[in-house]
Amino acid sequence: MILNLFRFFAVRNLMSSPVRTLLTLLGVALGIALFSGVSAINASTLSSFKESVDAVAGKSSLTVSAGDAGFSEQVEEKLKKIPGVRTTAPMIESKAYYRQKDGPEAGKTSLITVFGIDLLKEQSVRTYQTEGGEVIEDPLEFLNQPDSIILTKEFAKLHDLKVNDAIELASAAGSRTFVVRGLLSPTGPAKAYGGAVAIMDIDGARVNFGKEGKVDRIDLVLQDSAPGQPEVKAQVAARAREILGEGYQVEAPETQSDHLQHMVGAFQGMLSFLSALALMIGMVLVANSVSVAITERRQEIGTLRALGATRAKIFFLILGETLVMGSAAGLLGALLGNSVAHALVGQVSQSLASQSGMPIQVRELHYSLREILHAMLLGTSVSVAAAFWPARKAMNIPPMAALKARGADLSGIIGESQWMKVIPWLGAAMLVYLFVNKLTLNLSEPMSPALQALQPALGVIGSAMVAPWVIHYTLTPLLHLLKNSHGSNILVLRMALENLLRAPSRTLSNVLSLLVGLMLVIIVSVINISFKNSVSAWTTKAISVGDMALSSNGRVVAFQVQPLHESVLELIKKTPGVDLSNKRPIVVMRYMKVNYQGDPLVIKALDPTSDESGYPYIDALDRTALEAGHELFSDAHDSVLISENLAKRYHKKTGEVLELDTPTGRHPFAIAATIRDFASPNGVIYLNRNALKKYWKDNLVTIFFLAAKPGVNPVDLQNTFNSTLGKTHGIVTILNTELVGDLINVIDQSFSFNKAVQLAALLVGLIGLLNTMLVSIFERTREFGMLRAVGMDRRQLSKMVLWECLAQGSLGVLAAVVLGTYLSWLWVTVNLAQALGWVIHFSFPTSSILQVFFTGVGVALIAGILPVLRASQLTIRKALEHE
Amino acid sequence: MNILKVQDIRRSFPQPSGAVEILKGISFEASKGEFISMMGPSGSGKSTLLQIIGGLDQATKGSVQVEGQAIQSLSDQALSLLRRRRLGYIFQFFNLVPTLSALENAALPALLDGKSLASAKPRAMELLQWLGVDHRAHNRPAQLSGGEMQRVAIARALFLDPPLILADEPTGNLDSKTGETVLMLLQKAVRERGHTLLMVTHDAKAASYGTRMIRLEDGLLHSDFPISTPHGTLPGNLQ
Ligand SMILES: Nc1ncnc2c1ncn2[C@@H]1O[C@H](COP(=O)(O)OP(=O)(O)O)[C@@H](O)[C@H]1O
Ligand SMILES: [Mg+2]
């Protein structure tokens, strides 16, 4: 019987209000699409990276590395002697920047990872195949020409390059021309990083990238003793660590991608959280739709009950109906999710790449049957879960309802039960808890991960729960005010607002679905703006010593450039117009990633400047810049300055000792001061560059900051550099103002994917509003007919409907502004500070409030078009006959 | 002068089997102070005729003049104004705006016309008092009984003193005792305030409150004759 009932009742019902069914379906599908699209991107990013790591690792079981500075090539001999090691393969791994010479993208730089390899040793570790399928034809020729480079077919095709073409890459001596000697087929390392890799001879690479006498990594292939292999591996790793000391990482390829996961986890978590919100709005939509349908069919359900259908049957009937709709929505969502994933993957992986400094490129987006099934399952379960409460309500409709004529029962999801009184208090309690938590928070105590994850959720749910108050305490006084004003427009507005109060839970669900979307807009833009303001204020201060920055070609703002030989400094000094005084010295900086207690930290090593400069580039917090700089560069002992987030994270204070692991062993450094620096969420260490030379054996320079002589226009000096060092060495000169601008662009870029999430959330909100407005109008058809009959004109009726939409939009805006500002303040001052260790100043989002206002009202207007049209085209005669 | 002049009204509805003519040429006139009861079997087109007269539906053919003005040539806006200012409309049920108080419902035509509630209040109170529901002035429709709702609807219909009031089975939803009171009040409105009332009913007893009876049958005016009205007395407070 239930099947028959289902066929004749449920399916027919879905069909009987096709617009509602379609809108609900679309809303859920959008939420699903976003959620599964984002999940697919996240998973594909990690697996692509893992594949790249594996492709580079080849047959090796262990990799030895020591950070950006690399380490002595002599280490290889020591490793070879470890029992169990069959072969070793040294490698220089350099991020080079390729600048397109001509074509539509001329001047654009793209990252290419260059592997400097010892061809003779490679065979046992990795395979390279050129076009014909054979291994590199003439290794000797390849070796003898240091300007030789081999690209992948993929990269060559993308950039329109052929064998024997010349390409320009940044080297330590400035940009250099290389000749393409061959093209690799996509096997082995050529598959890594989306094909953006190249190989050259290791000796050539050493010279070109400033790694003379060094290697960046050594891969170890172990003797195959199949049964006991894991043990051999563990033994070799332990032995290698013992021999090499703390400054080295000895890792299996499997664990390398964990670092990436660690680095991008927070970012991906935020993405997932935002897309989950869109899904939540979809659930509100389903709950609302189903409960409206139940209200409409009250009599019908009563009849079924009177005819002997059990309560359980009614319950499952409603759930079954939702199941049909939910799986359709899941299917549609899965298909849309594929497009979402494809549309966003570029942006997301670009953001991730620029944040992590790793060449992340998603080669293959995994969106297969598995993802489709997941999405369908998600759609179905989310819809059914959302329909659960309304279905329970339907179950409790008494058989007597069949006999009663349907009144104007306009109640929505939850009904106007006692719960509605308690819920706002609960929500308020959550928001107050967050506030108390913020006040009592100790930043140096890391928050538990559970609480960290719970905070945003509590904030959003708490906000949703206090929304009824926002509605009530806005509308009630407003109506009170309007009561004493006159004019037919006021009357119409009043009636519109009264209508909202009359179906409070329906209004609530509309306001909620708008609220979540709009709150997202506010939160994201507050974080963005606060971040930008703090970082650019700091950057402006930090680079105030000079007028411009010089480096090789690449992404200077993120320090992602090929470092240069320090001899370039002499060339710079010779350029006329450069201020060489002690007061405004050239600041020479090597930027480097190092490992500290397993986390990636940033070292900024600086050449000493004299006290006369006043060290304006040091933003010292607990001492003066002069004291901090003076001590950092004093010859008495090795000193460091540490960033405040590092101090907090590792419980370090000025006056204490920081031990750093270097390729020459572990060395102690006196902490001279705590400073502010935003270059890394884990922490930044300022070092005297002499110490870097001594302990890391690194004498490269990432950036030169310098000032123009008094009376020389910095722009003119920039032009001078462009026409001299720019031409001869590919040196790029960026003015401070441009640098800050670039920085803001980078920050904006990593927030840009949020636009898609916001758009989807708003779209779901729009669909929800449209859906309920249509239902609400349909339900009031007769009332509208009556109003028209007693003299309300078309304009007045249309205005009333429009006001209802606009009022709900405005309520959404109001709630979003109030709650969103509060939540984003918490987010900036608590969550970001916790997650990133940065103290960021909250910036009030004036512009985004305007944006939210226009968006909210715009959404309401768009959602209002169809309902207004329907209301105004109402045929009075038909309306009056409407049951 | 004739308040209402109905001439050769025809109305057909398109049906799958071809157009069906519901009204096949109805003509009659009504003058000031008349209380016309319109009867006829269910489905004979009484409501349709009333709607055409009230400008809520378009006749396929024929003309309606209210106070000498032909309504079929009016724009929607002008028709709305006509309904608001020159006509009163009372339905069987769902007569009031649920979100407005009884007082505001009574004053609705004036409010729609842009008058302030303050300026409309004395008149509304007077009418509610006259109809014996002034104690309910600040209640919403949901808190009123059926009879009280109908009385508020009558107050609304009388509010701008329209020459013509149209009522479609105003007592159809009420028990006979309450219905009787409503009918007597309608009668009182015609007698004391000089409105013209056209009331559709299928209840002979209700019809007997009128001064004239019109019967519709098969889409035609079957009969039209004056009736003499006895009539019961209103409860003391309403006299
Ligand atoms: N839109 C329509 N389409 C077709 N037939 C209609 C339509 N509206 C009303 N009718 C028919 O017109 C006839 C008269 O209806 P109505 O005026 O409501 O009758 P009464 O009020 O006398 O009971 C009915 O038979 C009804 O079915
Ligand atoms: Mg009728």
Side-chain angles (χ1 to χ4, degrees):
Chain A
M1 162 166 179
I2 185 117
L3 254 185
N4 269 338
L5 213 65
F6 187 72
R7 194 166 337 128
F8 289 112
F9 186 76
V11 177
R12 181 172 57 84
N13 263 307
L14 287 174
M15 291 312 184
S16 73
S17 42
V19 178
R20 185 197 311 150
T21 306
L22 201 75
L23 287 177
T24 311
L25 198 142
L26 211 62
V28 179
L30 260 174
I32 299 279
L34 201 65
F35 189 79
S36 58
V38 163
S39 312
I41 291 175
N42 281 348
S44 302
T45 309
L46 286 177
S47 71
S48 288
F49 188 74
K50 221 170 148 55
E51 282 164 23
S52 295
V53 168
D54 290 343
V56 177
K59 282 182 235 144
S60 70
S61 308
L62 289 169
T63 300
V64 174
S65 61
D68 284 354
F71 53 95
S72 163
E73 60 181 328
Q74 276 143 26
V75 168
E76 193 183 355
E77 288 307 312
K78 296 186 199 168
L79 293 172
K80 255 186 193 153
K81 290 189 191 125
I82 297 176
V85 173
R86 198 172 66 190
T87 3
T88 55
M91 191 187 248
I92 293 286
E93 187 175 356
S94 187
K95 311 268 185 305
Y97 292 85
Y98 163 66
R99 179 147 53 166
Q100 200 110 332
K101 264 230 166 111
D102 36 37
E105 305 216 297
K108 208 187 148 204
T109 51
S110 50
L111 174 68
I112 179 166
T113 303
V114 180
F115 298 122
I117 52 169
D118 186 334
L119 254 188
L120 301 174
K121 291 180 180 166
E122 281 296 305
Q123 265 106 341
S124 50
V125 187
R126 289 169 273 255
T127 38
Y128 303 90
Q129 285 189 332
T130 51
E131 300 230 69
E134 69 279 31
V135 183
I136 294 169
E137 302 147 46
D138 190 354
L140 274 181
E141 194 204 29
F142 181 64
L143 286 176
N144 289 339
Q145 292 173 292
D147 67 346
S148 296
I149 193 162
I150 294 180
L151 303 178
T152 65
K153 272 202 265 187
E154 208 167 338
F155 188 85
K157 198 171 156 209
L158 190 66
H159 296 281
D160 202 19
L161 292 164
K162 296 180 299 293
V163 174
N164 292 327
D165 275 359
I167 76 164
E168 209 170 275
L169 294 180
S171 80
S175 73
R176 239 202 103 157
T177 304
F178 295 87
V179 179
V180 181
R181 298 284 181 210
L183 298 177
L184 293 172
S185 304
T187 52
K191 277 197 305 193
Y193 310 138
V197 296
I199 54 174
M200 63 170 73
D201 176 58
I202 190 164
D203 287 320
R206 283 181 178 129
V207 174
N208 284 320
F209 302 119
K211 295 277 172 73
E212 289 87 349
K214 285 184 169 183
V215 290
D216 282 322
R217 62 186 269 174
I218 296 174
D219 288 290
L220 307 181
V221 178
L222 306 183
Q223 266 149 19
D224 40 20
S225 48
Q229 180 124 35
E231 233 165 82
V232 171
K233 192 160 135 186
Q235 273 168 14
V236 172
R239 183 82 191 108
R241 288 192 188 105
E242 201 180 306
I243 296 173
L244 300 175
E246 292 93 351
Y248 295 78
Q249 284 88 54
V250 182
E251 286 176 316
E254 306 89 80
T255 58
Q256 285 183 34
S257 41
D258 294 350
H259 298 314
L260 181 78
Q261 186 132 36
H262 180 80
M263 266 191 283
V264 300
F267 184 82
Q268 293 194 331
M270 179 157 80
L271 264 183
S272 305
F273 176 71
L274 295 182
S275 59
L277 279 185
L279 200 56
M280 241 173 67
I281 307 178
M283 284 179 78
V284 173
L285 193 58
V286 174
N288 192 36
S289 248
V290 172
S291 71
V292 166
I294 288 167
T295 311
E296 272 177 22
R297 283 148 52 190
R298 200 178 152 77
Q299 214 171 342
E300 204 171 342
I301 293 170
T303 309
L304 279 174
R305 291 277 286 120
L307 290 176
T310 60
R311 284 156 49 104
K313 228 163 235 164
I314 299 294
F315 182 74
F316 287 114
L317 205 59
I318 304 289
L319 287 194
E321 187 176 321
T322 318
L323 194 90
V324 172
M325 198 275 307
S327 28
L331 186 64
L332 184 61
L335 299 178
L336 286 176
N338 190 26
S339 323
V340 167
H342 276 99
L344 291 185
V345 67
Q347 259 185 6
V348 172
S349 58
Q350 210 176 2
S351 284
L352 289 175
S354 69
Q355 278 178 39
S356 64
M358 303 251 218
I360 296 173
Q361 211 161 18
V362 177
R363 201 187 167 84
E364 214 182 330
L365 194 59
H366 300 286
Y367 206 93
S368 55
L369 194 63
R370 214 176 89 103
E371 277 68 30
I372 292 179
L373 286 178
H374 269 177
M376 281 191 68
L377 198 68
L378 193 65
T380 318
S381 45
V382 154
S383 305
V384 170
F388 191 82
W389 279 105
R392 273 184 59 103
K393 207 170 83 174
M395 180 173 97
N396 291 327
I397 291 176
M400 254 179 24
L403 308 174
K404 279 198 203 148
R406 196 170 60 84
D409 178 4
L410 295 164
S411 58
I413 311 174
I414 318 172
E416 323 314 336
S417 68
Q418 292 302 309
W419 274 105
M420 294 301 282
K421 294 206 179 80
V422 186
I423 282 174
W425 285 102
L426 278 176
M430 288 184 196
L431 297 184
V432 170
Y433 162 76
L434 290 178
F435 184 70
V436 172
N437 185 53
K438 139 90 188 147
L439 290 186
T440 56
L441 187 76
N442 183 357
L443 265 187
S444 61
E445 296 283 314
M447 217 191 289
S448 74
L451 193 60
Q452 266 201 50
L454 201 64
Q455 284 237 347
L458 271 188
V460 173
I461 293 169
S463 299
M465 285 163 77
V466 296
W469 278 352
V470 177
I471 297 172
H472 185 257
Y473 292 112
T474 310
L475 290 185
T476 316
L478 192 62
L479 278 169
H480 215 78
L481 266 176
L482 290 176
K483 239 182 189 138
N484 302 316
S485 329
H486 56 88
S488 62
N489 281 329
I490 298 285
L491 175 76
V492 163
L493 173 60
R494 250 191 71 201
M495 287 170 71
L497 298 184
E498 291 278 8
N499 277 326
L500 298 185
L501 278 182
R502 176 176 162 197
S505 53
R506 178 191 297 167
T507 306
L508 178 63
S509 82
N510 282 341
V511 171
L512 272 189
S513 48
L514 286 175
L515 168 71
V516 178
L518 295 175
M519 220 159 60
L520 274 189
V521 178
I522 293 220
I523 293 177
V524 169
S525 63
V526 166
I527 295 178
N528 183 358
I529 293 169
S530 300
F531 209 70
K532 263 194 313 217
N533 285 350
S534 298
V535 173
S536 61
W538 170 80
T539 308
T540 308
K541 186 176 156 67
I543 57 184
S544 61
V545 64
D547 298 315
M548 63 199 75
L550 270 70
S551 71
S552 66
N553 178 27
R555 299 188 57 231
V556 184
V557 269
F559 300 99
Q560 290 168 16
V561 291
Q562 165 64 43
L564 294 163
H565 284 309
E566 56 185 352
S567 60
V568 173
L569 179 60
E570 298 313 313
L571 299 176
I572 291 173
K573 280 184 177 165
K574 276 189 211 137
T575 309
V578 177
D579 197 334
L580 299 171
S581 69
N582 283 340
K583 199 148 172 38
R584 302 185 75 197
I586 300 179
V587 176
V588 178
M589 178 199 283
R590 166 68 159 136
Y591 171 99
M592 214 170 79
K593 285 216 178 91
V594 292
N595 242 46
Y596 181 73
Q597 297 188 4
D599 299 324
L601 294 193
V602 159
I603 282 184
K604 285 182 176 175
L606 301 153
D607 274 359
T609 61
S610 77
D611 283 355
E612 224 180 302
S613 70
Y615 313 105
Y617 49 89
I618 296 174
D619 193 0
L621 297 172
D622 53 358
R623 301 181 75 182
T624 64
L626 188 65
E627 288 166 349
H630 185 84
E631 195 172 329
L632 178 65
F633 297 126
S634 89
D635 292 328
H637 53 263
D638 292 329
S639 310
V640 288
L641 309 180
I642 58 169
S643 63
E644 56 180 337
N645 55 344
L646 187 149
K648 274 170 191 156
R649 181 186 269 245
Y650 303 100
H651 305 284
K652 292 286 178 197
K653 282 202 295 283
T654 301
E656 294 180 351
V657 167
L658 187 77
E659 290 192 316
L660 291 175
D661 295 328
T662 78
T664 62
R666 181 169 284 183
H667 299 284
F669 292 83
I671 299 172
T674 308
I675 52 159
R676 176 176 297 137
D677 192 309
F678 290 102
S680 160
N682 292 326
V684 182
I685 300 165
Y686 282 22
L687 215 65
N688 185 333
R689 210 163 70 83
N690 292 327
L692 198 74
K693 292 181 193 170
K694 193 159 119 200
Y695 301 124
W696 279 266
K697 309 289 179 204
D698 183 284
N699 51 13
L700 296 173
V701 175
T702 311
I703 302 187
F704 300 92
F705 295 98
L706 58 86
K709 258 191 197 140
V712 175
N713 184 345
V715 177
D716 293 338
L717 182 57
Q718 182 191 31
N719 288 333
T720 310
F721 278 128
N722 285 344
S723 58
T724 55
L725 287 177
K727 284 248 164 65
T728 55
H729 291 74
I731 301 286
V732 177
T733 308
I734 298 183
L735 292 177
N736 284 0
T737 46
E738 295 171 329
L739 204 60
V740 173
D742 285 353
L743 190 71
I744 285 172
N745 281 342
V746 169
I747 297 175
D748 277 341
Q749 197 192 30
S750 47
F751 280 88
S752 63
F753 69 90
N754 275 307
K755 292 261 151 36
V757 182
Q758 292 171 354
L759 195 73
L762 289 174
L763 217 58
V764 180
L766 187 147
I767 291 172
L769 185 56
L770 175 59
N771 193 2
T772 38
M773 277 312 294
L774 284 178
V775 171
S776 156
I777 280 174
F778 180 78
E779 274 178 358
R780 287 182 289 158
T781 308
R782 197 169 194 298
E783 187 181 325
F784 286 178
M786 179 266 290
L787 282 169
R788 293 278 281 125
V790 302
M792 184 180 254
D793 61 40
R794 223 172 237 163
R795 286 250 299 281
Q796 290 171 326
L797 185 63
S798 304
K799 268 189 203 161
M800 185 172 87
V801 173
L802 192 63
W803 273 125
E804 286 181 31
C805 288
L806 283 180
Q808 293 182 90
S810 310
L811 282 168
V813 168
L814 182 73
V817 166
V818 174
L819 299 168
T821 307
Y822 173 63
L823 284 192
S824 52
W825 172 73
L826 281 177
W827 209 311
V828 165
T829 56
V830 179
N831 293 70
L832 267 190
Q834 276 289 341
L836 305 178
W838 287 325
V839 176
I840 288 174
H841 296 283
F842 173 76
S843 300
F844 193 77
T846 321
S847 65
S848 45
I849 283 176
L850 279 180
Q851 186 195 343
V852 158
F853 176 78
F854 287 115
T855 316
V857 171
V859 162
L861 272 178
I862 295 170
I865 294 174
L866 196 58
V868 166
L869 275 179
R870 285 230 175 137
S872 78
Q873 286 166 357
L874 188 93
T875 320
I876 306 176
R877 177 180 51 81
K878 281 189 185 150
L880 286 170
E881 281 160 8
H882 195 269
E883 187 231 343
Chain B
M1 190 189 79
N2 281 336
I3 297 296
L4 173 68
K5 189 172 180 187
V6 176
Q7 270 178 310
D8 193 29
I9 287 293
R10 289 164 191 272
R11 178 67 164 106
S12 49
F13 289 112
Q15 295 279 302
S17 50
V20 176
E21 198 161 51
I22 301 297
L23 299 174
K24 299 173 179 165
I26 307 256
S27 305
F28 70 94
E29 292 173 13
S31 45
K32 192 171 155 70
E34 274 192 297
F35 180 166
I36 306 175
S37 297
M38 194 193 299
M39 292 193 73
S42 181
S44 56
K46 305 181 295 290
S47 295
T48 306
L49 181 58
L50 210 64
Q51 284 166 7
I52 290 172
I53 293 169
L56 305 178
D57 189 18
Q58 295 281 326
T60 320
K61 207 169 163 274
S63 79
V64 173
Q65 286 173 30
V66 176
E67 291 186 302
Q69 184 175 35
I71 67 164
Q72 59 268 40
S73 56
L74 294 177
S75 68
D76 183 77
Q77 181 63 27
L79 267 180
S80 298
L81 282 182
L82 177 91
R83 287 195 296 267
R84 191 188 298 166
R85 294 175 182 163
R86 310 309 293 159
L87 293 176
Y89 226 116
I90 303 165
F91 302 101
Q92 182 175 355
F93 54 82
F94 217 88
N95 243 323
L96 305 177
V97 181
T99 51
L100 299 180
S101 68
L103 184 94
E104 289 162 341
N105 263 293
L108 191 58
L111 298 179
L112 285 173
D113 230 18
K115 304 288 182 301
S116 73
L117 185 61
S119 69
K121 197 170 173 176
R123 163 91 176 149
M125 281 312 285
E126 181 227 319
L127 278 170
L128 291 178
Q129 196 172 12
W130 191 74
L131 293 159
V133 280
D134 48 327
H135 60 294
R136 295 303 221 166
H138 298 290
N139 291 27
R140 293 213 174 173
Q143 296 159 306
L144 305 184
S145 71
E148 285 169 336
M149 280 200 255
Q150 267 339 38
R151 283 191 261 170
V152 175
I154 295 172
R156 180 185 65 200
L158 300 180
F159 197 88
L160 289 181
D161 234 343
L164 181 62
I165 294 170
L166 305 171
D168 194 346
E169 307 202 30
T171 57
N173 224 22
L174 302 176
D175 63 72
S176 61
K177 196 164 175 315
T178 321
E180 215 169 315
T181 310
V182 167
L183 286 165
M184 282 189 280
L185 286 170
L186 286 173
Q187 196 177 45
K188 187 174 153 197
V190 174
R191 280 182 184 160
E192 294 179 10
R193 295 175 174 260
H195 301 280
T196 302
L197 176 63
L198 179 56
M199 177 180 80
V200 166
T201 180
H202 58 252
D203 174 16
K205 179 130 197 303
S208 69
Y209 282 80
T211 57
R212 178 178 157 192
M213 168 90 84
I214 287 179
R215 281 195 76 85
L216 285 194
E217 240 163 73
D218 294 328
L220 288 169
L221 209 126
H222 179 263
S223 57
D224 180 353
F225 50 88
I227 49 177
S228 59
T229 41
H231 284 298
T233 38
L234 279 162
N237 63 327
L238 289 177
Q239 277 173 5

